[in-house]
Amino acid sequence: VGICREYLLGVRMEMLRRELAAAQKEPARQLELAAYFTHCGVQAGHLQLVLMVAMVNAFKLKNFGTANSFARRLLELGPKPEMATQAKK
């Protein structure tokens, strides 16, 4: 039940983030939702994807400190070489 709750919460945040992205509204809120999702208790493979999305969103908003934080967390999980290369950039 706890795992389902975490996934449900994360997916709801992701759906709202995508709605805002499609409408090209509130980029700061989009980043905030992506950042919150990184703290949900999801499996490592899913967390890698979530961290990648958050990292890219932070970089696009020129929030390099936050992007760096997401990249470090991503690299600690041992992602695929393509993801690791992008995170190191």
Side-chain angles (χ1 to χ4, degrees), residues 62-81:
K62 297 182 177 159
N63 193 337
F64 301 121
T66 305
N68 181 37
S69 175
F70 293 136
R72 285 180 191 267
R73 287 180 58 197
L74 178 61
L75 290 172
E76 287 173 1
L77 295 174
K80 294 179 183 177

Side-chain angles (χ1 to χ4, degrees), residues 1-9 41:
V1 174
I3 293 171
C4 289
R5 181 193 54 194
E6 294 291 322
Y7 272 92
L8 241 166
L9 178 63

Side-chain angles (χ1 to χ4, degrees), residues 7-84:
Y7 272 92
L8 241 166
L9 178 63
V11 169
R12 286 179 62 194
M13 286 188 284
E14 180 64 14
M15 288 174 55
L16 179 57
R17 187 193 67 77
R18 286 184 184 191
E19 285 176 20
L20 291 173
Q24 296 180 346
K25 292 171 136 182
E26 302 181 57
R29 177 70 175 155
Q30 292 175 42
L31 177 57
E32 182 182 17
L33 290 167
Y36 283 146
F37 194 6
T38 66
H39 292 286
C40 288
V42 296
Q43 294 177 354
H46 298 139
L47 184 57
Q48 288 178 4
L49 296 173
V50 171
L51 285 167
M52 189 68 153
V53 168
M55 180 186 69
V56 169
N57 281 342
F59 189 82
K60 285 180 182 177
L61 289 177
K62 297 182 177 159
N63 193 337
F64 301 121
T66 305
N68 181 37
S69 175
F70 293 136
R72 285 180 191 267
R73 287 180 58 197
L74 178 61
L75 290 172
E76 287 173 1
L77 295 174
K80 294 179 183 177
E82 303 86 38
M83 291 177 96

